[in-house]
Amino acid sequence: FFDYPDGARDCEAVAVDVSNLRVLLLNKRKLPLTLFALPLFPQEGKVVAQKIADLMPPPRYERGLEAEYGESAFFIGLPTGMDLSGSRLLVTTIRNAYLFDYMNLNAAPIEVNLPFVGQREGITFSNYDTDVAYVSRERKNGTQVADIFRIDFVSTTKSTMH
């Protein structure tokens, strides 16, 4: 069991910081987006999540996006997945992904432009190459295939998705 220090939060984006033996949590709806940590191996009793940093939020809803994103337009900037590899913290939203410098969380992230393929749910770096990540999308109607896409980081400012 755990609590947030300032009340309940909606959270889907979770990652493990193996080096510091902690679980990272990024809230979804409340601004500012806040990165919290819990001990990976907590002692007995209730734990209170520790605030690590407020992150620069991805762009939120803008008028006119309904034509491209449908009902998802209202949720395009909400973080739904996250992974950590070394000093790279990767967060996905419905619209794009964002690459943060974990050693300097106050810096603006690099925006990784991704095509709209439905609601993205998870993101992870490859075990073998930190210049590669994979992102999945939610199954339509709970019955179709949950596609997995590959992101190749070709430089610090550009990426591609297959």
Side-chain angles (χ1 to χ4, degrees), residues 21 29 33 37 56 117 119 123 131 133 146:
L21 298 176
R29 298 181 191 276
L33 293 181
M56 183 174 292
V117 293
Q119 184 172 335
I123 197 161
D131 285 332

Side-chain angles (χ1 to χ4, degrees), residues 44-131:
E44 289 187 35
K46 191 175 279 190
V47 176
V48 176
Q50 173 192 2
K51 178 181 174 180
I52 297 176
D54 289 330
L55 298 184
M56 183 174 292
R60 297 285 180 130
Y61 170 74
E62 304 164 16
R63 286 187 190 267
L65 292 176
E66 295 84 0
E68 184 176 354
Y69 294 96
E71 292 178 7
S72 297
F74 297 101
F75 309 106
I76 63 169
L78 303 181
T80 57
M82 177 172 62
D83 195 22
L84 176 67
S85 180
S87 65
R88 302 168 97 187
L89 182 69
L90 186 58
V91 176
T92 190
T93 67
I94 292 172
R95 188 174 198 179
N96 287 321
Y98 298 85
L99 188 60
F100 289 87
D101 179 350
Y102 189 56
M103 300 300 127
N104 183 12
L105 292 168
N106 293 322
I110 296 169
E111 186 170 7
V112 180
N113 294 315
L114 301 175
F116 181 62
V117 293
Q119 184 172 335
R120 280 187 282 280
E121 289 293 327
I123 197 161
T124 186
F125 285 103
S126 168
N127 282 341
Y128 307 105
D129 184 351
T130 59
D131 285 332

